[in-house]
Amino acid sequence: MAGIEWARTQPATRSQTQSLLDRLPRGLIDWEFVLTLLLCLGAAASVSTAIEGGGWSNDMPPLTTVTVLSVLSASLLARTRTSVFLAWPLAIVLGAAVVLWQTLSLVGPGTLEQRLDEINTRFDFWFDVAFGSGVSNDALPRDVLTLALTWLGVFLFGWSVFRWHNAWIGLIPGGIVLFLDLVLVGDDLTGTVVIYMLLGFLLVMQTNLLANLKRWRAEGTDYPSYINLSFLHFSTWALVCLIVFAWLVPAGPYNTPAPVQAAIDEAVETGAGFVRLAGPLHSKKVIPIHSYSGVLPFQGSINLGDRELMAVTVTDPTVGGNFLLRGSVYDNYEGGGWTTGNRREVTIPDGATNAIPRVTLNDVPVEPSGIEVPLHIEMLAKSVVGTVIFSPGQPLSLDRELTLDVPEGAISRSRPSDLVGGAQYTSDEDVFALTLAPTDLPVAVVRDKVGRVLYVEYLDLGASGLNQALEIVPNDRIKRYRSYDVTGLVPDVTPDQLRATNADLTPGWVNYEYLQLPATLPRSVGDLARTITVDSDTRYDGAKDIETYLRQFPVDYNVPDTPANRDTVDYFLNDLKRGYFDYHASAMVVMLRTLDVPARLAVGFAVDDADYDLETGAYIVRDEDSYAWPEVYFPEYGWIGFNPTPDRPADLEPRRFDPAFLDDPLGLDPRLRAQLPIGATDSFYIPPDVEPIPIDGPGSAFGNSEGSGPRPWLMMAVIAFAVAIIVAVSLGWQRSVAGLPYPQQLWEKTVRLASWGGFQPQPGQTPHEYVDALGRRHRAVRDLDVLSSTYTRSRFGKKDADESERERLEELWSSLRGALLRGIAGRVFRRNRRQP
């Protein structure tokens, strides 16, 4: 490199490569242009192929084809020196032609006139939804918009490279697209990011050099003929070294930097607002199937995954079993999904234990009938689950300042005669104290321009019950490894009590908010609901009949997207007849509404004993626990949940253990004992006054009596075979790590057992980071850091553990091995419980 003289032309020793380059035509196309074009195509195509083949949708449009055509058009128009006022209109016309060509292919077979008519019809419907409040399940408008934006964005990129010799204008938007893909979808883009960085860096170097070459030519300065190749050659090696160095350098702080996390949060919240118009989209990483935003579209085929989201500890040891964690409620059905209705925000002060008053009857407080479930919830992942508070049933108390989203119709108004027209100098707190009952939750004091009180708004919980909160929003997002305490009430109401309710007592605002249906809903849905409930005499019996009918539809997570402009519930009931919780629950809500029964859709998580971790004493809530269920309004009792999805029991309610049940003679955890058949533990319990039967006595299966027990030689053969298997597995296990230093042996065993338990190391994760994550999973295991430190020193520093460290490792392994084996057993148990 030192021998290169950049200031003067080098003597030309012609090679085959140079001769080939010299043969390229001059003027519009030369070898510098070809080199730049290849870099530009590579950078742009690396982004388009990642998005096209990623997890955004089951069927993304051909973005790479449009990208290549756009780069070629931009490069040629920029090289012809066409005026920008002519080139850009021409580019728009070319882009419209390319987008129309691809759109016609997306529509499918048919004549040109038929396909154009279908495009027009689908866009008319989409614009009606866009300017209204509906949810679109048609992916065509989204695909057309994506194709158009791809053409314009890539053309700007190519134009800036070839006309302005500035690559940053195009590289920055491409980097933002990859960032959004990583945040919202979670695709593995390691290779794509490396390629994009490499080509982008080279493109920046190339465009800067081209700008200098233009100036040198104008000034008559000499320069080497193939200086571009020299620059790119050394730039490539420099960037490769930087990437390798960045890869090898230990990772920084475990937590994401605050600016990056803020950008992630903003991207998630902004993107969630546009899903109602985007058609079926998929998001694997930050957003689970339910985003808890204002829109809930049907997503077609999904893959829930087993990412751990929350650790939920029931602080009352006598409560356990199945229960639902409600995160949000959706009011309006729009054919392609759900949206929230008219809502008001009610602020609950910080630390307000039992801040939500209990129900009253004739101004007398009534202790609600049900099971109070106090929970301590810890976030285990960066996810939108931290944007809402989850409550089992009706929320009773929380430990932080928060906001309740309640229906607009649930807000009552009071016009006290002693305050109307006056009290302009009275504070809102004093007005509330003078006018509201203990069970009223204050909302606002409405005044005129001079401050006189017009009326007071409040939430009358004594009249509307405890569970009018549609969503509980913390004032500060619950971040990873942060926690909160919430107590909820799960009503304990018998079927006879629900049958005895008077439907005429339903508040008017409940009927107004929760009987809404779109005008486009096919009549067949209502006809089917009436057929199913023809023999039902009460609201409860009708709901149970529909629930029973829908539980016959099998659970299937691999369902096709709803056809364009087709109502999803109608498609589910009459064509698909299979689906998952979003489909079953939505169908029940819509069918009940056709019968004038107020119902709403609740979303959150379903937790049962299969999620209970005996080691930590907490229920581990995962993506696969996502759930949706209908809630039906019953006067006097409020909203009661049902479950039409057959993968879980119809009765998803907690149970209270008898305190005596905790004193198990076998020492079993009550949740573990509850999973055994009734009376199973009694068969293991030997009362103290009963003498046990000798295991080798007469009549024993192992004795020599003439009973039906197996012969001694057969039992010995079985035992010998089992011992042989155990010895073979043990030898194979030890042989696989034989010869390794002791810290490395333990490390390999730990990684294997943890991986079998579903906790394998992640790409790019250092040993210390992996051990930290493993420690959070198995909190009862202490001193795990000695494993990562001794392994790192042994593996990379070639230094074995000393005697004291070896003793610590041996002590650690005895407890860690048991925890990992329990993790494997728990995973197998959960998988078996998940089988439909």
Side-chain angles (χ1 to χ4, degrees):
M1 181 174 180
I4 297 179
E5 299 181 23
W6 302 105
R8 62 183 179 84
T9 305
Q10 300 295 311
T13 57
R14 304 186 62 81
S15 64
Q16 291 184 353
T17 302
Q18 291 174 336
S19 300
L20 179 62
L21 294 173
D22 287 340
R23 294 193 192 102
L24 293 175
R26 301 289 179 180
L28 182 62
I29 300 178
D30 53 32
W31 73 270
E32 293 175 347
F33 166 76
V34 173
L35 186 60
T36 308
L37 179 63
L38 292 176
L39 293 174
C40 191
L41 283 171
S46 65
V47 178
S48 64
T49 53
I51 302 302
E52 184 178 343
W56 288 92
S57 175
N58 292 333
D59 188 19
M60 285 293 287
L63 301 179
T64 303
T65 301
V66 175
T67 295
V68 172
L69 294 176
S70 183
V71 170
L72 293 176
S73 301
S75 61
L76 294 177
L77 286 175
R79 293 280 287 182
T80 58
R81 296 299 176 184
T82 305
S83 171
V84 65
F85 299 105
L86 177 62
W88 273 90
L90 182 59
I92 293 175
V93 173
L94 290 174
V98 171
V99 172
L100 178 61
W101 164 48
Q102 292 296 331
T103 303
L104 291 173
S105 65
L106 292 174
V107 169
T111 64
L112 177 62
E113 182 178 359
Q114 290 173 337
R115 288 188 285 178
L116 289 175
D117 183 65
E118 182 176 352
I119 292 173
N120 180 65
T121 301
R122 292 168 69 171
F123 268 88
D124 281 345
F125 181 83
W126 186 82
F127 278 114
D128 290 339
V129 173
F131 291 102
S133 59
V135 179
S136 172
N137 57 15
D138 189 358
L140 181 66
R142 178 204 67 201
D143 292 343
V144 173
L145 180 62
T146 303
L147 290 171
L149 291 176
T150 300
W151 175 274
L152 292 176
V154 174
F155 188 88
L156 175 63
F157 176 36
W159 184 268
S160 65
V161 168
F162 292 99
R163 175 63 65 91
W164 300 327
H165 300 303
N166 187 333
W168 289 109
I169 297 178
L171 290 174
I172 292 177
I176 294 175
V177 170
L178 291 179
F179 172 78
L180 292 176
D181 187 61
L182 285 169
V183 168
L184 298 178
V185 180
D187 291 330
D188 185 5
L189 300 179
T190 303
T192 300
V193 171
V194 171
I195 293 174
Y196 188 71
M197 289 174 56
L198 177 62
L199 296 178
F201 183 76
L202 296 180
L203 195 57
V204 169
M205 298 295 296
Q206 175 72 354
T207 52
N208 287 336
L209 183 58
L210 290 178
N212 288 327
L213 291 179
K214 179 180 178 181
R215 179 171 55 83
W216 292 343
R217 288 169 184 156
E219 297 173 353
T221 303
D222 292 333
Y223 58 88
S225 300
Y226 301 105
I227 188 175
N228 306 65
L229 297 181
S230 299
F231 260 95
L232 293 178
H233 174 261
F234 291 110
S235 298
T236 300
W237 285 110
L239 183 60
V240 168
C241 292
L242 286 175
I243 293 175
V244 172
F245 176 76
W247 195 276
L248 295 178
V249 168
Y254 185 79
N255 293 327
T256 305
V260 178
Q261 185 60 47
I264 292 175
D265 296 342
E266 185 65 26
V268 171
E269 294 175 4
T270 303
F274 294 95
V275 294
R276 73 182 186 92
L277 303 177
L281 287 176
H282 304 282
S283 182
K284 304 174 184 175
K285 188 175 183 182
V286 174
I287 303 179
I289 182 175
H290 301 138
S291 65
Y292 307 100
S293 63
V295 181
L296 177 66
F298 292 102
Q299 298 191 33
S301 178
I302 61 171
N303 183 13
L304 293 177
D306 59 356
R307 177 182 50 154
E308 296 182 352
L309 299 175
M310 298 183 293
V312 179
T313 303
V314 182
T315 56
D316 184 349
T318 65
V319 176
N322 304 326
F323 55 90
L324 296 168
L325 292 176
R326 186 175 66 195
S328 186
V329 170
Y330 290 91
D331 315 315
N332 296 335
Y333 176 68
E334 303 293 350
W338 292 84
T339 61
T340 55
N342 298 322
R343 299 187 175 188
R344 290 287 298 275
E345 293 184 351
V346 180
T347 301
I348 305 296
D350 189 12
T353 302
N354 292 330
I356 304 176
R358 305 301 178 97
V359 70
T360 62
L361 183 61
N362 298 326
D363 297 328
V364 178
V366 176
E367 188 67 21
S369 175
I371 299 177
E372 290 193 17
V373 184
L375 301 180
H376 177 77
I377 300 180
E378 179 186 2
M379 296 293 116
L380 300 180
K382 297 177 181 178
S383 172
V384 295
V385 296
T387 61
V388 295
I389 297 291
F390 291 88
S391 171
Q394 308 166 3
L396 293 181
S397 65
L398 297 112
D399 65 343
R400 62 181 57 237
E401 183 176 347
L402 51 90
T403 299
L404 295 180
D405 282 351
V406 299
E408 177 71 34
I411 303 296
S412 301
R413 293 181 177 181
S414 175
R415 295 174 57 87
S417 57
D418 56 337
L419 289 177
V420 174
Q424 60 265 41
Y425 303 110
T426 306
S427 66
D428 289 355
E429 290 75 11
D430 292 337
V431 173
F432 287 137
L434 291 171
T435 58
L436 300 185
T439 57
D440 295 336
L441 200 62
V443 177
V445 175
V446 180
R447 303 172 183 267
D448 60 14
K449 294 182 179 179
V450 298
R452 292 175 298 187
V453 176
L454 298 178
Y455 53 86
V456 177
E457 293 183 329
Y458 61 95
L459 186 64
D460 184 3
L461 295 175
S464 60
L466 296 172
N467 56 352
Q468 296 309 324
L470 303 177
E471 190 170 87
I472 308 175
V473 182
N475 289 2
D476 294 320
R477 178 174 180 153
I478 313 298
K479 299 181 179 179
R480 192 180 188 185
Y481 304 129
R482 301 294 177 85
S483 61
Y484 59 90
D485 296 315
V486 59
T487 299
L489 176 74
V490 179
D492 184 12
V493 186
T494 65
D496 289 338
Q497 289 175 313
L498 295 177
R499 289 189 181 97
T501 56
N502 186 356
D504 294 336
L505 299 180
T506 302
W509 68 267
V510 172
N511 287 326
Y512 177 79
E513 294 283 349
Y514 298 108
L515 291 179
Q516 170 274 341
L517 288 172
T520 56
L521 180 71
R523 294 184 57 184
S524 60
V525 177
D527 294 340
L528 178 61
R530 284 183 285 273
T531 300
I532 295 171
T533 60
V534 65
D535 296 326
S536 303
D537 297 327
T538 66
R539 177 174 292 186
Y540 173 79
D541 291 327
K544 291 299 291 184
D545 287 343
I546 294 177
E547 178 189 61
T548 302
Y549 175 80
L550 292 175
R551 289 183 68 85
Q552 302 175 32
F553 288 26
V555 172
D556 187 358
Y557 296 104
N558 187 23
V559 296
D561 297 338
T562 305
N565 303 336
R566 179 79 184 274
D567 185 273
T568 303
V569 166
D570 174 62
Y571 179 60
F572 169 71
L573 291 173
N574 297 303
D575 293 88
L576 272 181
K577 297 187 177 181
R578 57 189 173 89
Y580 48 92
F581 38 81
D582 279 358
Y583 291 82
H584 289 80
S586 298
M588 183 169 176
V589 173
V590 172
M591 294 172 77
L592 286 171
R593 289 186 178 187
T594 64
L595 303 176
D596 294 331
V597 176
R600 65 187 189 184
L601 182 72
V603 297
F605 296 95
V607 182
D608 56 30
D609 291 323
D611 302 306
Y612 187 72
D613 185 8
L614 290 174
E615 182 179 350
T616 61
Y619 294 89
I620 305 302
V621 180
R622 297 173 172 82
D623 280 318
E624 63 188 13
D625 295 316
S626 299
Y627 219 61
W629 60 95
E631 294 183 340
V632 184
Y633 189 85
F634 290 87
E636 302 177 22
Y637 301 108
W639 297 100
I640 303 298
F642 292 79
N643 181 28
T645 311
D647 63 334
R648 293 178 184 265
D651 181 14
L652 287 175
E653 295 182 356
R655 58 182 178 272
R656 184 176 295 281
F657 300 110
D658 189 329
F661 192 56
L662 299 177
D663 300 327
D664 192 283
L666 297 177
L668 294 178
D669 184 281
R671 296 167 184 82
L672 178 60
R673 187 183 186 193
Q675 298 174 25
L676 299 175
I678 296 176
T681 54
D682 297 335
S683 63
F684 296 107
Y685 176 58
I686 302 176
D689 56 343
V690 177
E691 184 175 351
I693 299 175
I695 195 170
D696 56 350
S700 168
F702 298 93
N704 295 322
S705 67
E706 297 180 359
S708 58
R711 300 296 182 183
W713 64 266
L714 179 60
M715 296 306 303
M716 293 177 62
V718 172
I719 294 174
F721 179 76
V723 170
I725 292 295
I726 294 173
V727 171
V729 172
S730 178
L731 290 176
W733 175 269
Q734 294 296 336
R735 184 179 179 86
S736 63
V737 296
L740 293 176
Y742 188 67
Q744 296 186 40
Q745 290 185 22
L746 291 192
W747 177 265
E748 292 297 329
K749 294 177 182 180
T750 299
V751 172
R752 290 180 191 178
L753 292 179
S755 299
W756 293 344
F759 196 76
Q760 59 270 20
Q762 301 299 314
Q765 196 174 38
T766 66
H768 293 289
E769 292 174 343
Y770 180 63
V771 166
D772 287 343
L774 194 64
R776 288 189 294 272
R777 183 182 180 91
H778 302 285
R779 294 181 175 88
V781 180
R782 304 299 181 188
D783 209 18
L784 262 175
D785 57 330
V786 67
L787 177 61
S788 59
S789 60
T790 55
Y791 166 74
T792 304
R793 192 166 63 250
S794 174
R795 175 69 176 81
F796 302 105
K798 309 300 182 183
K799 184 179 180 180
D800 203 357
D802 56 30
E803 188 64 28
S804 62
E805 289 176 331
R806 188 180 181 92
E807 292 178 357
R808 292 174 63 191
L809 288 174
E810 291 175 351
E811 183 179 354
L812 168 66
W813 179 240
S814 62
S815 59
L816 177 59
R817 177 177 52 194
L820 296 177
L821 291 176
R822 287 193 296 272
I824 296 173
R827 186 186 188 192
V828 173
F829 178 74
R830 287 192 300 271
R831 184 174 296 175
N832 292 335
R833 287 290 301 272
R834 293 284 183 259
Q835 296 296 329

